[in-house]
Amino acid sequence: MSSSKMPGWKSLPIGAAIINPPTSLEYKTGTWRTFRPVIDQEKCVRCRLCWAYCPDGAVMELEKEYVTKSGRKYSITYEINYEYCKGCGVCARECPVKAITMVEEGG
Amino acid sequence: MGKMVGLNGNYAIAYAVKAVGPDVIAAYPITPQTAIVEKLAEFVAQGELDAEYIHVESEHSAMSAIVGAAAAGARVFTATSSQGLGLMYEILFIASSLRLPAVMGLVTRAYSAPINIWCDHGDFMSAADTGWIQYMSTSNQEAYDAIIMAYRVSEDPRVLLPAMVSIDGFIQSHTVEPVKLEDDEEVRKFVPRRPREIRLDPDKPMTLGALGDPNWYYEFKMQQQVAMEESRRVFDEVASEFAKKFGRSYGAIDTFMTEDAEAIIVTMGSTAGTFRVAVEKIRKEGAKVGLITIKLYRPFPRDDIVKILSNAKVVGIAERDLFFGAAYPGYLFNDVATSLYLANVRTKLAGFIFGLGGRALRFSEAYEITKKVWSFAKGEAEIPKKPIFVGVRE
């Protein structure tokens, strides 16, 4: 809750203006999550659909090499940014090869 | 130099707005205000006023467009009456909360139902808690001058709050009076452009209208409250500068024959003129009665009225509204009572409700009210706990 360390009405910009964008990055929405998406890098075919569908831009496309057990080599890897992922599950729902599973947090 | 012309109240407001020079006007027609925005549309169409004129589909949209334009740093104007103000209601709070110095012309009209296009102060009073500065004029000259002062006060960095300037529907809006129009150039010098730090600007991006959760909301309301209180000091400064420049002097209240008055009428709007004549008449009969007219309703001029009323025996509050279910069913009465109570002044109060839905307050009725308040002061009659509803049929 409100703390005495937070700025008071005398120092805050008027009209509740946010004058130092992009402050949304400071808001770690990952704390909202009850289920986390986990990507199975073996099943993932790098189609980019999860990246495109994620409403929060929390799917990261990384230039990180990955070689599957069967020897298929990818130059990119998709990972979830858990600081911002709200756990909505859209990625898991849209994944055409069912490479993403929703795992309960704290379980 | 300026010039004297005959203008109805609506046109007086339109000419003042043209003189100040807004960037954006957004409005929807409603009786009895329509002539204000019609006249402004004419000024824009004829190239006399360089403003963006936005035709909207409702008052809700008008006020929303005003908020958007003002947020981008524009000087803005709109006008409305009764139901139109009601449709703007939620956006009124947003304009004041975002600290946008919009100015509105409000031509008072009774709220429906039954449908009624005539004057009472129900619309003006019901907007008293929206965080807007509120001026009520008693003449068309005053309306012209109040618009000019309103822009100057609202755009002051110590204030940054919207303001509504009110005239009485038909009684003023459609009545021609002599009005001294100042040169537009001089008016613009009096209301210079003041670029605002908080505004939507692509070169310096910021967010306006974001979420303010329980950790933050309260602080912004505190800022608004402080600005509203501060606006009174700014109003006094602006009014005094206005008097020096244009020679017409205004206070938050107007007093008439109050110096030695034992009974004082407090009222608002055009009816003040009727009460003035009633007071003059009863004075000739030896009754020590005076009159206070409230010109600035928000922030309420509590110290000013306390100073005058503390020497009186009885105050008669005559108002053109009905505050249903309140401790006392009149807005003005509640403001006066609170002001006196806080100052430990126990002048007795009598309330009168009149003129709802445009019912004319005849001179004989205004005189009867004055006489009644005087009889209360002399102790000849007991003051009722409930208001006297003047002119209503049983």
Side-chain angles (χ1 to χ4, degrees):
Chain A
M1 277 312 288
S2 176
S3 132
S4 58
K5 285 177 196 155
M6 292 164 78
W9 64 267
K10 288 180 182 173
S11 58
L12 283 167
I14 64 158
I18 298 171
I19 58 172
N20 51 337
T23 49
S24 58
L25 290 177
E26 289 167 26
Y27 193 17
K28 304 289 166 67
T29 48
T31 58
W32 297 16
R33 207 168 50 235
T34 50
F35 285 85
R36 82 163 87 205
V38 176
I39 303 176
D40 183 341
Q41 298 296 345
E42 288 291 314
K43 281 193 194 168
C44 172
V45 293
R46 274 67 180 170
C47 71
R48 207 187 236 176
L49 275 179
C50 58
W51 178 91
Y53 272 100
C54 177
D56 271 294
V59 178
M60 302 179 290
E61 185 178 281
L62 305 172
E63 287 188 21
K64 195 166 150 187
E65 213 169 76
Y66 186 85
V67 185
T68 65
K69 280 171 191 154
S70 59
R72 190 159 179 189
K73 194 175 156 186
Y74 292 110
S75 59
I76 56 166
T77 303
Y78 290 94
E79 285 180 11
I80 305 291
N81 185 337
Y82 292 113
E83 284 198 328
Y84 299 106
C85 168
K86 294 170 184 163
C88 71
V90 166
C91 55
R93 173 77 173 73
E94 296 299 332
C95 180
V97 293
K98 303 286 166 233
I100 304 176
T101 41
M102 299 303 290
V103 180
E104 194 169 353
E105 290 285 357
Chain B
M1 284 305 288
K3 59 175 176 180
M4 284 299 280
V5 289
L7 288 180
N8 66 36
N10 281 340
Y11 281 9
I13 287 180
Y15 272 94
V17 172
K18 172 176 148 294
V20 171
D23 303 302
V24 175
I25 298 161
Y28 192 80
I30 185 168
T31 301
Q33 164 281 127
T34 308
I36 297 178
V37 294
E38 265 177 10
K39 193 70 186 167
L40 285 168
E42 190 183 310
F43 287 143
V44 173
Q46 292 184 343
E48 291 175 60
L49 173 61
D50 182 18
E52 193 79 32
Y53 196 101
I54 307 176
H55 298 273
V56 288
E57 73 277 25
S58 75
E59 284 85 355
H60 191 276
S61 305
M63 200 60 230
S64 300
I66 285 299
V67 162
R75 180 176 273 175
V76 296
F77 180 78
T78 189
T80 195
S81 293
S82 74
Q83 309 306 124
L85 185 74
L87 193 49
M88 286 179 177
Y89 197 67
E90 59 158 331
I91 318 293
L92 297 179
F93 287 90
I94 295 172
S96 57
S97 301
L98 292 182
R99 307 295 297 279
L100 306 173
V103 172
M104 174 200 292
L106 179 74
V107 183
T108 60
R109 164 181 159 177
Y111 264 124
S112 298
I115 295 174
N116 181 296
I117 59 170
W118 295 274
C119 169
D120 75 30
H121 295 165
D123 50 3
F124 180 88
M125 294 305 209
S126 71
D129 51 3
T130 56
W132 285 55
I133 296 168
Q134 289 185 300
Y135 306 88
M136 184 168 272
S137 60
T138 57
S139 75
N140 296 349
Q141 180 71 61
E142 246 181 72
Y144 176 86
D145 294 339
I147 289 277
I148 295 166
M149 289 193 284
Y151 273 104
R152 175 74 183 269
V153 172
S154 284
E155 291 175 0
D156 190 290
R158 292 168 291 176
V159 179
L160 292 173
L161 288 172
M164 49 184 84
V165 173
S166 188
I167 55 172
D168 277 350
F170 294 108
I171 301 164
Q172 283 174 269
S173 69
H174 288 60
T175 303
V176 174
E177 289 180 349
V179 176
K180 167 91 186 294
L181 295 182
E182 302 298 342
D183 291 338
D184 289 2
E185 213 175 286
E186 291 305 313
V187 171
R188 281 178 205 198
K189 271 189 213 157
F190 185 77
V191 194
R193 296 273 173 169
R194 304 184 84 150
R196 302 197 283 279
E197 276 177 39
I198 305 286
R199 68 174 192 279
L200 297 175
D201 178 358
D203 292 331
K204 196 187 164 202
M206 63 176 73
T207 302
L208 297 184
L211 181 78
D213 70 18
N215 293 325
W216 298 101
Y217 183 89
Y218 198 173
E219 278 67 29
F220 297 110
K221 293 300 118 178
M222 189 64 200
Q223 286 180 344
Q224 263 180 273
Q225 169 61 13
V226 170
M228 179 57 88
E229 291 291 318
E230 185 66 12
S231 73
R232 176 52 205 276
R233 188 148 60 107
V234 177
F235 168 79
D236 288 343
E237 287 173 19
V238 169
S240 125
E241 227 184 285
F242 187 92
K244 269 186 219 137
K245 187 167 173 71
F246 298 115
R248 290 180 298 280
S249 177
Y250 297 101
I253 63 168
D254 185 45
T255 57
F256 180 65
M257 293 187 160
T258 51
E259 292 78 17
D260 61 339
E262 290 173 24
I264 295 176
I265 306 285
V266 180
T267 195
M268 287 171 74
S270 58
T271 319
T274 316
F275 278 111
R276 210 180 159 97
V277 183
V279 166
E280 272 176 344
K281 182 176 154 83
I282 207 161
R283 276 274 175 179
K284 282 182 194 141
E285 294 157 15
K288 287 182 175 173
V289 182
L291 173 69
I292 292 179
T293 309
I294 308 285
K295 304 289 188 69
L296 178 68
Y297 184 59
R298 287 289 180 267
F300 192 73
R302 49 178 187 271
D303 298 338
D304 311 56
I305 63 155
V306 165
K307 220 167 103 191
I308 309 284
L309 296 182
S310 49
N311 297 322
K313 285 181 185 157
V314 175
V315 185
I317 298 134
E319 56 189 306
R320 198 162 198 154
D321 60 74
L322 199 43
F323 194 1
F324 295 108
Y328 194 93
Y331 288 88
L332 186 54
F333 189 103
N334 278 273
D335 285 307
V336 173
T338 308
S339 303
L340 294 178
Y341 195 91
L342 289 173
N344 289 317
V345 174
R346 295 295 178 268
T347 307
K348 290 196 167 92
L349 306 177
F352 300 86
I353 306 284
F354 71 90
L356 299 186
R359 177 76 51 91
L361 186 82
R362 292 164 191 282
F363 174 74
S364 57
E365 290 168 316
Y367 176 70
E368 280 307 312
I369 291 172
T370 342
K371 222 165 119 182
K372 199 146 224 163
V373 175
W374 177 239
S375 73
F376 293 149
K378 283 193 296 178
E380 289 172 359
E382 205 172 317
I383 301 174
K385 301 283 181 214
K386 288 178 182 172
I388 296 165
F389 292 91
V390 181
V392 72
R393 294 187 301 274
E394 281 189 19

